[in-house]
Amino acid sequence: MIRSIEWIGSGVRFIDQTKLPTEEVYVETHELSVLAEAIASLRIRGAPALGIAAAYGIVLGLNNSVEVTGEKLRSDFEKAASLITSTRPTAINLFWAVERMRGVLHRSQQRSPRETIEQLLLEAKTIHREDEEMCAAIGRFGAELVPQQATILTHCNTGALATGGEGTAQAIITTAAAQGKNISVFADETRPLLQGARLTAWELQKHGINVTLITDNTAASVMKRKKVDLVVVGADRIAANGDTANKIGTYNVAIIAKEHVIPFYVAAPTSTIDSSLKNGEMIPVEERKAEEVTEGFGTRTAPYGVKVFNPAFDVTPNKYITAIVTEHGVIRPPYDVSIVHVMKKAVQGV
Amino acid sequence: MIRSIEWIGSGVRFIDQTKLPTEEVYVETHELSVLAEAIASLRIRGAPALGIAAAYGIVLGLNNSVEVTGEKLRSDFEKAASLITSTRPTAINLFWAVERMRGVLHRSQQRSPRETIEQLLLEAKTIHREDEEMCAAIGRFGAELVPQQATILTHCNTGALATGGEGTAQAIITTAAAQGKNISVFADETRPLLQGARLTAWELQKHGINVTLITDNTAASVMKRKKVDLVVVGADRIAANGDTANKIGTYNVAIIAKEHVIPFYVAAPTSTIDSSLKNGEMIPVEERKAEEVTEGFGTRTAPYGVKVFNPAFDVTPNKYITAIVTEHGVIRPPYDVSIVHVMKKAVQGV
């Protein structure tokens, strides 16, 4: 299994994702500064992986605080927390993980600094393990939807690189393959940032899975000319009615799949569901800078001064989604009902 | 108006399309060797533009044949013809234009070399003018389909750069704008070769038309979130039933347009219609090299050894096509009937 990040002895080891797909470089460090730089420069990326990195980062930041006073420990913690969250101020998972770690700090007032740091490391490992288990559960539930022989089309990257485990949508692919199913994959390259070409193709190749890279423009041809049994994609945010925000182009794929009568599955942890949003129209869509489109490959490929519309995500209405695979099971339409049900399970930890 | 190629006095002037979109470089030459190199290295591209270049190239090749014998003239002609057709041996328009020029040579047996060369130049200019008129007619017929206020989505490049006139689908846009209609355009970048970003965005900007560049993945979002009134695309080959082969991704756009109830128009000269092909399944689809996808613009963006499926075209079934705009008028379903009708007009030159 590929591990985007892991705790080894007294430090972390992570894969430098900016070197992919042509070089596979792992970095080992005991220094928070090295880890923070890696987050800031996207060597480590993917929402769940960032949360895990932040938690381990807090522990690295306290490496020299074993022999200090409780007060000094708390001030060292805040220094580390502030450095970590400053690396990518919009990455919500960094803040979420730091908050969880701060909870442990608060509950450790009676402990020595050494014991407190041990508790913090335990919490970081727990965050990591929970993510790994979530990936495994999604993979297990999703693999039940995959025939013995299957060609799967996927969009963007939803694999081990982005998470602490096997990924979300991609865990369905790798789990089905590990169960001995005969799996072929078409991976959309996923412009503008080419996560499909750079990351998904690389990960599936490492898994020994039969993967074919296509431009996003080729998805409809593939569905028509080749046998595609199902589509699996991830999600950035799911509204209470099942409308799903995900990487730009997901909505295109969903429409094209429906036209070819191919099941379209979304895979995401229940933490992705935002029940406060009634529907997808309430999901804000980030617009990113023009250069991702106009100079995507280091070469200027569009005229200077041209207007660009570059939304990071699109919203796929629930009617295109055959089912949503969560760590608590597969839910189906009507989503307004099934989402309430699965969120209850999530709260109860079933 | 942008002119991809034109005759000026005693030589040709063409725009070096490999320098676009960042530099606008025109080359003037009296040398066939310079023109042939320009064709071979894609400085001149686009099927109709290649035919025009070939015809002018024959004339350039006879620059020093004014004072020779008839026999020497014919052998100089064949040398020029052979150099021109060797530049891109699969570009059918080069061969077609050379054949038309050879017809003039054969009919000029009684003429002096000087008079023959004059006749050949006249024929080259006729080929150019016919293409220009064809573009103008498509633009005129197509513009009738465009509302007074219109947002148009287009895919790939179908403009002046590829033809001797205003283009095919793009002529509809520029003609409607020239008629004073209020036109906005979304241009798909069109992976893998980015003709939309490099050429279409540049051409429309030159025309002063309000153009916004998007990744191919953004087309569905644009149709949903912005008001898109119509889609116009070109065609590489149209079967007898209206099924249309065009740049990869056209079929995606057609499906997405249908889902949003947006008219989808194909613009192409009747010479694109191949009535010998009963339907689109009989159109052979060229597969191109993997590197167009894996190292699009000088940077390797996919793992080494990854399998790639890179078809140059896809086939859009007739049911997605609202109408086909030809130089003899707009035809509509059922295409098996309307195509027979328009081909009769084409033969009669109506």
Side-chain angles (χ1 to χ4, degrees):
Chain A
M1 186 173 128
I2 300 155
R3 289 199 161 269
S4 57
I5 185 164
E6 59 187 322
W7 186 261
I8 45 159
S10 57
V12 298
R13 181 172 185 266
F14 62 87
I15 184 165
D16 182 346
Q17 298 192 37
T18 62
K19 296 281 197 293
L20 293 174
T22 50
E23 290 176 76
E24 184 176 347
V25 176
Y26 290 88
V27 178
E28 289 185 20
T29 187
H30 294 80
E31 300 296 329
L32 172 56
S33 61
V34 172
L35 189 72
E37 189 279 337
I39 295 172
S41 56
L42 308 182
R43 299 181 205 287
I44 302 170
R45 53 152 283 288
L50 286 177
I52 296 159
Y56 287 142
I58 291 285
V59 181
L60 293 186
L62 301 177
N63 256 345
N64 301 316
S65 313
V66 175
E67 307 290 346
V68 300
T69 64
E71 200 171 337
K72 177 71 166 61
L73 181 77
R74 279 186 290 282
S75 104
D76 288 350
F77 181 103
E78 291 310 327
K79 254 189 239 166
S82 147
L83 174 58
I84 290 164
T85 53
S86 71
T87 55
R88 289 188 63 189
T90 61
I92 200 77
N93 291 62
L94 296 176
F95 293 83
W96 168 84
V98 165
E99 273 318 296
R100 246 182 91 162
M101 298 295 275
R102 188 176 279 119
V104 172
L105 182 74
H106 287 330
R107 291 193 297 277
S108 303
Q109 308 251 6
Q110 308 306 320
R111 291 199 172 94
S112 72
R114 178 183 301 276
E115 286 169 340
T116 302
I117 294 170
E118 278 170 12
Q119 289 302 311
L120 286 166
L121 176 58
L122 203 64
E123 183 72 0
K125 287 180 172 175
T126 302
I127 289 173
H128 192 166
R129 197 194 63 238
E130 286 173 1
D131 192 59
E132 205 173 332
E133 289 170 354
M134 178 274 291
C135 293
I138 287 177
R140 214 163 45 239
F141 284 119
E144 291 173 25
L145 303 168
V146 179
Q148 192 59 33
Q149 282 256 2
T151 299
I152 304 176
L153 188 139
T154 189
H155 192 75
C156 202
N157 177 255
T158 58
L161 290 170
T163 62
E166 282 286 338
T168 55
Q170 194 172 293
I172 297 175
I173 296 171
T174 54
T175 304
Q179 289 170 349
K181 293 182 179 175
N182 189 357
I183 306 294
S184 301
V185 177
F186 284 100
D188 278 355
E189 65 173 2
T190 319
R191 277 282 282 157
L193 295 183
L194 299 177
Q195 293 93 337
R198 293 187 296 110
L199 308 177
T200 303
W202 180 82
E203 284 197 52
L204 293 176
Q205 219 181 26
K206 289 279 285 184
H207 273 282
I209 289 171
N210 178 15
V211 58
T212 302
L213 178 64
I214 56 173
T215 66
D216 306 300
N217 277 331
T218 311
S221 287
V222 162
M223 290 194 205
K224 190 172 190 197
R225 295 170 56 191
K226 317 269 175 183
K227 186 178 153 290
V228 172
D229 298 284
L230 62 151
V231 174
V232 292
V233 299
D236 281 88
R237 212 153 167 194
I238 300 175
N241 71 342
D243 291 353
T244 294
N246 191 43
K247 184 64 64 215
I248 190 75
T250 301
Y251 177 39
N252 302 41
V253 176
I255 294 170
I256 294 165
K258 177 185 165 231
E259 191 72 9
H260 293 93
V261 198
I262 295 169
F264 180 89
Y265 298 116
V266 169
T270 48
S271 59
T272 309
I273 298 171
D274 186 343
S275 299
S276 74
L277 303 177
K278 217 177 114 191
N279 60 48
E281 278 167 39
M282 299 173 72
I283 302 175
V285 174
E286 172 195 1
E287 287 188 30
R288 294 177 57 85
K289 61 182 183 174
E291 286 69 22
E292 290 183 357
V293 181
T294 58
E295 349 191 313
F297 310 84
T299 310
R300 179 85 198 181
T301 51
Y304 290 107
V306 71
K307 273 200 294 187
V308 173
F309 176 54
N310 183 26
F313 307 114
D314 58 25
V315 176
T316 300
N318 58 15
K319 71 170 174 173
Y320 297 97
I321 301 169
T322 311
I324 299 173
V325 183
T326 77
E327 76 277 26
H328 295 292
V330 175
I331 64 174
R332 294 187 182 265
Y335 291 112
D336 49 355
V337 177
S338 56
I339 281 180
V340 169
H341 190 65
V342 81
M343 291 309 276
K344 269 188 202 150
K345 276 194 189 177
V347 169
Q348 294 159 2
V350 178
Chain B
M1 185 173 130
I2 299 155
R3 289 200 159 269
S4 56
I5 184 163
E6 59 187 322
W7 188 262
I8 44 158
S10 57
V12 299
R13 180 172 188 265
F14 61 86
I15 184 165
D16 182 347
Q17 298 192 35
T18 63
K19 297 280 197 295
L20 292 174
T22 49
E23 289 177 75
E24 184 176 347
V25 176
Y26 290 88
V27 178
E28 289 186 19
T29 186
H30 294 81
E31 299 296 328
L32 171 56
S33 61
V34 173
L35 189 71
E37 190 278 338
I39 295 172
S41 56
L42 308 181
R43 298 181 204 288
I44 302 170
R45 53 154 282 288
L50 286 176
I52 295 160
Y56 287 141
I58 291 284
V59 180
L60 292 185
L62 300 176
N63 256 345
N64 301 314
S65 312
V66 175
E67 306 291 344
V68 302
T69 65
E71 200 171 338
K72 178 69 166 59
L73 181 76
R74 280 186 289 280
S75 102
D76 288 351
F77 180 103
E78 291 310 326
K79 254 188 241 166
S82 147
L83 174 58
I84 289 163
T85 53
S86 71
T87 53
R88 288 187 64 189
T90 61
I92 200 76
N93 291 61
L94 296 176
F95 293 83
W96 168 84
V98 164
E99 273 319 296
R100 245 182 93 162
M101 297 295 274
R102 189 178 277 119
V104 170
L105 182 74
H106 287 333
R107 290 194 298 278
S108 303
Q109 307 253 5
Q110 306 307 322
R111 290 199 171 96
S112 71
R114 178 183 301 274
E115 286 169 342
T116 302
I117 294 170
E118 279 170 12
Q119 289 301 309
L120 286 166
L121 177 57
L122 203 63
E123 184 71 1
K125 287 181 172 174
T126 302
I127 289 173
H128 193 165
R129 198 194 61 236
E130 286 174 3
D131 191 60
E132 204 174 331
E133 289 171 354
M134 178 274 290
C135 293
I138 287 178
R140 215 164 43 238
F141 285 119
E144 291 173 24
L145 303 169
V146 179
Q148 191 60 34
Q149 281 256 3
T151 299
I152 304 176
L153 188 139
T154 189
H155 191 74
C156 202
N157 178 255
T158 59
L161 291 169
T163 63
E166 283 285 338
T168 56
Q170 194 171 294
I172 297 174
I173 296 171
T174 53
T175 304
Q179 289 170 350
K181 292 180 177 174
N182 189 356
I183 306 294
S184 302
V185 177
F186 284 100
D188 277 357
E189 63 172 3
T190 319
R191 276 283 283 159
L193 295 182
L194 299 178
Q195 293 91 337
R198 293 188 298 111
L199 308 178
T200 303
W202 181 81
E203 285 197 52
L204 293 177
Q205 220 181 26
K206 288 279 287 185
H207 274 282
I209 290 170
N210 178 14
V211 57
T212 302
L213 178 65
I214 56 173
T215 66
D216 306 300
N217 276 332
T218 311
S221 287
V222 162
M223 289 194 207
K224 190 171 190 197
R225 293 170 56 191
K226 317 269 175 181
K227 184 178 154 289
V228 172
D229 298 284
L230 62 152
V231 175
V232 292
V233 299
D236 281 88
R237 214 155 166 193
I238 300 175
N241 71 342
D243 290 354
T244 294
N246 190 45
K247 184 65 63 217
I248 190 74
T250 302
Y251 177 39
N252 302 42
V253 176
I255 294 171
I256 295 165
K258 179 187 164 229
E259 191 71 11
H260 293 93
V261 199
I262 295 170
F264 180 88
Y265 299 115
V266 169
T270 48
S271 60
T272 308
I273 298 171
D274 186 343
S275 299
S276 74
L277 302 176
K278 218 177 113 192
N279 60 48
E281 280 169 35
M282 300 174 72
I283 302 176
V285 174
E286 173 195 2
E287 287 187 30
R288 296 176 58 86
K289 59 182 185 175
E291 285 72 20
E292 290 183 358
V293 181
T294 57
E295 19 199 282
F297 294 84
T299 311
R300 180 85 197 180
T301 50
Y304 289 107
V306 72
K307 274 200 292 186
V308 173
F309 176 54
N310 183 26
F313 306 114
D314 57 26
V315 176
T316 300
N318 58 15
K319 71 170 172 173
Y320 298 98
I321 301 169
T322 311
I324 300 174
V325 183
T326 78
E327 76 278 25
H328 296 292
V330 176
I331 64 175
R332 294 185 182 266
Y335 291 111
D336 49 355
V337 176
S338 56
I339 280 180
V340 169
H341 190 65
V342 80
M343 292 308 275
K344 271 188 201 151
K345 277 194 189 175
V347 169
Q348 294 160 1
V350 178

